[in-house]
Amino acid sequence: VSQQVLEQVLRELQPLCTSEQQFLQEFFCLGCGSVELEVRVSTVSSPGPFPSLAHPWLTPDLSHDLVWFLRPEEATTQLLSELFSCLEPELRAFLDVCSKAHPLGCLQVLVTLSDSVFGTWGPCSAPLSSFLHTLLGNVLLLAKSNFNKCIGTLCKEMEEAKAASRTRGGILPCVSRFQELVALSEEVFQTSQRRGELDKAQLRLASSVFSSISSLSSANLRVNTDMVMMENFHHIHNFLCQRNIPCLEGKKREAKQRSREHMEKYITTYVGQPLERLKHFFEGVKARLAQGVKEEEVSFQLAYSKQELRKVIEKYPGKEVKRALESLYRTIQKQLSPEENLLPVVWQAMEQGFIQQYREFEELIQCCYAGAGIALDFTMEDLLSYFNSITMSN
């Protein structure tokens, strides 16, 4: 509503200022560029070369003796400035009202003024007088300043936002706020061809929400921090894919990359849980190899002997591995928010991570315990059937 009122005000000012400017130019013969106008500002009764200037519409503030020698365009501007001396202060006050009437009212003001000043209201709109064009240009600078301050405040709010105590994950408030602001700004700007200020603002907002997600503290989360970051960056990527905003293409790619990175960290955290003791055992084996112990000599290390390996393998019969995987699936299912529908993606990535881990164990057994007849209790085929069974049953 405030935007419509502002448009109406500006449309009504156009013919008024244009006709007044035309009248002054014709009445005082200001159309010739070679003519200079001597403007003697005096009281109404004071004589002068242009007694018609001592006119009732001159303001009382002009009742003092001054003489200016002005070019025609300067004289016209000076006269209009005196005639409409209250116009700019009134417009500035009105813009403040418009800005306060809506969460992003300053953006609506910016769009309306830009379209007016740069003539994007359409071919049927009357051209601005040079005086009004200059005046609105000054007011437009104020609108840009107000808009930048508003965006700065919003960015600071998102950057300083903290996750609520004991947050269970899901989409963070700062991400929802970012979506809301982008959607609203796109709606306001949908008929405007001048996006410079909006593009810069949206990039600032995107950088702030990315910073807010990255600064999450695990102290306030009841679930894995990487999982929350993965979901929120994935959510932003999907949102930007739907919106297709050119200035945010880089941020869209970054969101996708960040989501993938945190998924990998999340998988790394949980992939070793079902076979935790085996994982720790083989991490010790790899550490010995890194220290220079030969592969054939690892089994002679007391903590990594063939007997110790058999003891650890006995802890993981096939049925226990399947049970552990089922428990892991339930944990992931509980942590992920259903809105993002990332469970199938994460579970498939977990399967790939688990298969890679299995192959690494097999290779270490072949290298360091060759000929000992030691093998895991379950095969690759068994492992694939476990994952397939869990996926099908859910």
Side-chain angles (χ1 to χ4, degrees):
V1 177
S2 60
Q3 184 180 11
Q4 294 172 352
V5 173
L6 179 58
E7 285 185 10
Q8 183 179 353
V9 168
L10 295 178
R11 289 184 189 278
E12 292 183 4
L13 279 176
Q14 283 188 23
L16 177 64
C17 291
T18 301
S19 62
E20 192 63 33
Q21 178 172 317
Q22 184 178 1
F23 166 76
L24 292 174
Q25 289 171 338
E26 293 176 356
F27 189 80
F28 295 111
C29 301
L30 300 176
C32 300
S34 61
V35 177
E36 288 189 349
L37 175 64
E38 178 186 342
V39 182
R40 181 182 298 275
V41 182
S42 178
T43 59
V44 173
S45 58
S46 298
F50 291 91
S52 57
L53 282 176
H55 195 278
W57 42 252
L58 285 177
T59 65
D61 295 335
L62 299 182
S63 57
H64 52 281
D65 290 319
L66 283 174
V67 177
W68 294 301
F69 290 92
L70 303 173
R71 291 190 300 273
E73 62 272 17
E74 292 175 341
T76 305
T77 300
Q78 181 62 40
L79 290 171
L80 287 169
S81 297
E82 297 296 343
L83 280 172
F84 298 107
S85 60
C86 65
L87 184 54
E88 184 168 339
E90 292 292 340
L91 271 177
R92 287 174 177 268
F94 183 64
L95 296 192
D96 287 338
V97 173
C98 293
S99 296
K100 294 174 183 177
H102 192 275
L104 272 183
C106 56
L107 175 55
Q108 294 180 324
V109 166
L110 180 60
V111 171
T112 304
L113 279 172
S114 295
D115 290 348
S116 176
V117 171
F118 297 104
T120 57
W121 274 352
C124 297
S125 60
L128 292 177
S129 71
S130 58
F131 164 75
L132 185 58
H133 191 281
T134 301
L135 185 148
L136 293 183
N138 293 336
V139 179
L140 178 59
L141 292 176
L142 173 64
K144 288 182 178 181
S145 176
N146 289 341
F147 176 64
N148 289 331
K149 289 178 182 177
C150 176
I151 295 300
T153 300
L154 292 171
C155 288
K156 185 176 180 181
E157 289 176 357
M158 287 195 292
E159 290 170 6
E160 295 179 352
K162 303 296 182 183
S165 179
R166 308 293 285 171
T167 297
R168 291 181 175 273
I171 304 308
L172 298 169
C174 64
V175 173
S176 300
R177 182 63 170 151
F178 169 73
Q179 284 184 251
E180 176 189 345
L181 293 171
V182 170
L184 180 58
S185 63
E186 286 295 314
E187 180 182 352
V188 173
F189 254 87
Q190 61 183 342
T191 58
S192 178
Q193 298 177 4
R194 301 184 61 84
R195 289 184 54 99
E197 296 296 324
L198 178 62
D199 288 349
K200 288 186 288 187
Q202 288 182 343
L203 282 170
R204 288 178 65 188
L205 291 169
S207 296
S208 293
V209 76
F210 279 33
S211 175
S212 182
I213 296 172
S214 299
S215 64
L216 281 176
S217 171
S218 58
N220 288 334
L221 300 176
R222 298 187 65 178
V223 292
N224 181 275
T225 306
D226 285 309
M227 185 276 294
V228 178
M229 293 183 178
M230 170 191 69
E231 283 199 311
N232 279 273
F233 280 120
H234 177 267
H235 187 83
I236 291 176
H237 176 259
N238 279 353
F239 171 73
L240 294 180
C241 284
Q242 295 167 7
R243 284 287 171 175
N244 191 27
I245 302 173
C247 71
L248 294 179
E249 280 297 312
K251 290 297 182 182
K252 181 175 72 175
R253 291 190 295 270
E254 182 182 349
K256 182 177 181 180
Q257 178 63 28
R258 298 280 286 275
S259 178
R260 183 184 297 114
E261 288 174 358
H262 287 291
M263 179 184 288
E264 291 173 356
K265 292 180 180 178
Y266 180 73
I267 298 301
T268 300
T269 300
Y270 285 92
V271 73
Q273 287 190 358
L275 304 175
E276 187 172 10
R277 292 185 64 179
L278 269 175
K279 178 175 177 290
H280 289 321
F281 183 91
F282 286 112
E283 283 178 348
V285 171
K286 289 190 292 182
R288 294 297 183 276
L289 293 174
Q291 292 170 2
V293 178
K294 295 181 179 180
E295 294 177 350
E296 60 271 17
E297 295 177 356
V298 170
S299 61
F300 295 103
Q301 302 281 318
L302 183 61
Y304 303 101
S305 64
K306 299 173 185 178
Q307 184 178 1
E308 289 298 318
L309 176 57
R310 289 191 178 96
K311 287 181 180 179
V312 176
I313 288 177
E314 288 175 359
K315 301 289 184 181
Y316 295 99
K319 61 179 181 179
E320 290 299 326
V321 173
K322 183 179 180 182
R323 186 178 295 113
L325 289 174
E326 289 171 344
S327 176
L328 177 60
Y329 183 90
R330 289 192 296 269
T331 298
I332 297 173
Q333 186 178 39
K334 184 178 180 180
Q335 290 186 346
L336 292 173
S337 58
E339 294 81 8
E340 292 305 295
N341 194 33
L342 280 175
L343 180 59
V345 178
V346 173
W347 186 242
Q348 184 178 19
M350 190 69 73
E351 179 179 353
Q352 295 302 315
F354 208 84
I355 290 172
Q356 182 179 348
Q357 179 181 246
Y358 176 89
R359 287 172 175 164
E360 184 179 28
F361 293 169
E362 286 280 282
E363 289 175 4
L364 287 171
I365 291 174
Q366 292 298 323
C367 293
C368 302
Y369 302 90
I374 300 176
L376 298 174
D377 188 65
F378 54 95
T379 63
M380 176 69 75
E381 288 72 20
D382 293 332
L383 188 58
L384 293 173
S385 70
Y386 300 157
F387 275 97
N388 184 59
S389 175
I390 295 170
T391 301
M392 295 298 292
S393 62
N394 291 276

